[in-house]
Amino acid sequence: GMTRPEMADETLFLLLHNEMVSGLYRAAEHGEGENGRCITKLENMGFRVGQGLIERFTKDTARFKDELDIMKFICKDFWTTVFKKQIDNLRTNHQGIYVLQDNKFRLLTQMSTGKQYLEYAPKYLAFTCGLIRGGLSNLGIKSIVTAEVSAMPACKFQVMIQKM
Amino acid sequence: YLPFISPSASMHLMSSELFTLTYGALVTQLCKDYENDEDVNKQLDKMGYNIGVRLIEDFLARSNVGRCHDFRETADVIAKVAFKMYLGITPSITNWSPAGDEFSLILENNPLVDFVELPDNHSSLIYSNLLCGVLRGALEMVQMAVDVKFVQDTLKGDGVTEIRMKFVRRIEDNLPAGEE
C-alpha cells in the first residue's frame, strides 16, 4: 500500500507491539521472568497506555452526555488516534454491553488470513483490550473487555460496563 | 490538567504519545520480570534489534535514500532522515573519531523519556536501550555491523543524551537476519 510520511509513527508502534508480544512469549518459553501470564501482562500494559492517553486529553467528562457518548468517542476519536481508522460497527444492548467491530484490525492485518493462525490472534488482541479498559477507566467507567476473532483480520471487542 | 483542546489537536497529541507510553509500559513490565537492570538492558537491546531488522524496510520504502557511500553519509541519514521520520527529532552529529569510524548523536531531548523519572533502585537501567538495538539491527540489514551505546543520558542527570556509534565491519553475506 501507499506509505505516507505521517504513517511512520504508526509503523513504529506496530513493530513495537508485535515485538512486545513475541518477546514476552519467547521469554516465557525460556523460563525467564514469570511463566504463563503473557496475556495478563499484555492486557495490563495496554491498560496503562490507555489511561495515559486519556490523561493527556481533557478530564472534562462533562463534554460526554452519557455512557453511549463515551463509547462513541472510543469508537471514533480514540480508535482513530491509535489505529488510524474508526471502529466499523458499534452495537449495544443498552444494558451495559457494547460490541465494537473492526473489520480490518491493524494489529492483525500483517498476519496471514489462514485459519491456522486464528489460535495466535488472541495474543495480538490482549494489549488493545487493556487499552480500551484503561481509556474507559480514566473516563470514569469500570469495565471488562474481551475480544474475539472469527475471520482475520476482522475482530470484535466486547465491553461489559461494571457498576461501580 | 490540560485545558479543553480541539478534538483534532488532542488526537495529534495522543498519537505522538502512543509509542512513548507503550514503550514506558514495556520498560516497567520488564523491570518487574527481570531482577537486575543488566537483564532488562539486554532484553531491550534484543527487542530493538528485532524491530530494527524490520524497520529498515519501511524506512527504505518511505525515504528513497540511495546507498550510503561512507559512514559519514550513514550518520547524516540516521540523524536527519530516520530520527526525524520516526521520532520527530533531529539529533546533531559530533565527535568524529580521526579514522571516521565513530561518531556521536546528541539528542537535546529524548522523546522516549518525556515524563519519565528513574526510580532510585534502577541506577544501571539504560531506559532507552531499545534504540541501540534498533540502530544495530537496521544497519546490519544494509551490511554494516555497528556497536551502539548510550554514553550520556538526561535521565541520569547528564545535560544531554549522547549515543555513540562505531562502525565495526562490513557484512559481506546476504543471509537473512535471524531472531535474537
Side-chain angles (χ1 to χ4, degrees), chain A residues 4-126:
Chain A
R4 301 190 311 271
E6 64 271 22
M7 285 168 67
D9 61 332
E10 185 189 8
T11 304
L12 203 50
F13 170 70
L14 288 180
L15 288 175
L16 178 64
H17 173 271
N18 290 354
E19 182 54 29
M20 277 163 56
V21 175
S22 306
L24 269 180
Y25 278 90
R26 201 167 50 225
E29 266 170 48
H30 295 152
E32 289 164 24
E34 296 171 48
N35 285 326
R37 293 185 58 239
C38 295
I39 294 277
T40 305
K41 289 179 190 179
L42 287 163
E43 208 273 353
N44 286 339
M45 285 192 268
F47 182 80
R48 292 174 62 97
V49 176
Q51 284 188 308
L53 283 174
I54 295 294
E55 210 169 283
R56 306 281 202 272
F57 198 60
T58 181
K59 278 212 176 182
D60 177 20
T61 54
R63 73 187 286 255
F64 299 114
K65 53 185 206 297
D66 56 23
E67 185 180 278
L68 180 60
D69 216 24
I70 291 178
M71 293 309 300
K72 286 179 180 171
F73 164 80
I74 297 287
C75 293
K76 294 183 184 168
D77 295 53
F78 190 77
W79 214 254
T80 302
T81 295
V82 181
F83 300 113
K84 308 296 195 273
K85 66 180 288 290
Q86 297 188 6
I87 283 287
D88 294 300
N89 192 285
L90 171 67
R91 294 198 329 268
T92 180
N93 66 354
H94 297 289
Q95 284 170 23
I97 298 187
Y98 297 84
V99 178
L100 288 63
Q101 183 162 328
D102 189 326
N103 293 328
K104 237 181 143 184
F105 186 52
R106 285 272 200 262
L107 297 179
L108 291 177
T109 50
Q110 280 146 41
M111 292 173 72
S112 288
T113 52
K115 275 192 153 47
Q116 70 269 32
Y117 293 99
L118 273 182
E119 68 169 288
Y120 299 111
K123 301 179 185 179
Y124 292 88
L125 304 176

Side-chain angles (χ1 to χ4, degrees), chain A residues 3-9 11-13 15-17 19-20 22-24 26-27 30 32-34 41 44-46 48-49 52-60 63 73 76-78 80-82 84 127 131, chain B residues 1-8 10-19 21-26 28-30 32-34 43 46-48 50-51 54-55 58 61-62 85-87 114-115 130 134 179-180:
Chain A
T3 50
R4 301 190 311 271
E6 64 271 22
M7 285 168 67
D9 61 332
T11 304
L12 203 50
F13 170 70
L15 288 175
L16 178 64
H17 173 271
E19 182 54 29
M20 277 163 56
S22 306
L24 269 180
R26 201 167 50 225
H30 295 152
E32 289 164 24
E34 296 171 48
K41 289 179 190 179
N44 286 339
M45 285 192 268
R48 292 174 62 97
V49 176
L53 283 174
I54 295 294
E55 210 169 283
R56 306 281 202 272
F57 198 60
T58 181
K59 278 212 176 182
D60 177 20
R63 73 187 286 255
F73 164 80
K76 294 183 184 168
D77 295 53
F78 190 77
T80 302
T81 295
V82 181
K84 308 296 195 273
F127 180 89
L131 201 68
Chain B
Y1 285 54
L2 293 172
F4 183 73
I5 330 169
S6 78
S8 58
S10 49
M11 268 167 59
H12 175 72
L13 263 183
M14 283 199 276
S15 182
S16 64
E17 284 164 0
L18 176 61
F19 180 80
L21 286 170
T22 303
Y23 186 72
L26 171 64
T28 302
Q29 183 63 49
L30 291 177
K32 286 185 197 156
D33 287 348
Y34 295 93
Q43 235 339 59
K46 188 191 295 195
M47 294 177 76
N50 292 334
I51 290 172
R54 292 171 178 86
L55 189 67
D58 181 79
R62 281 180 206 282
M85 184 179 284
Y86 292 108
L87 293 176
D114 285 345
F115 309 108
L130 192 100
V134 173
E179 293 246 318
E180 285 199 343

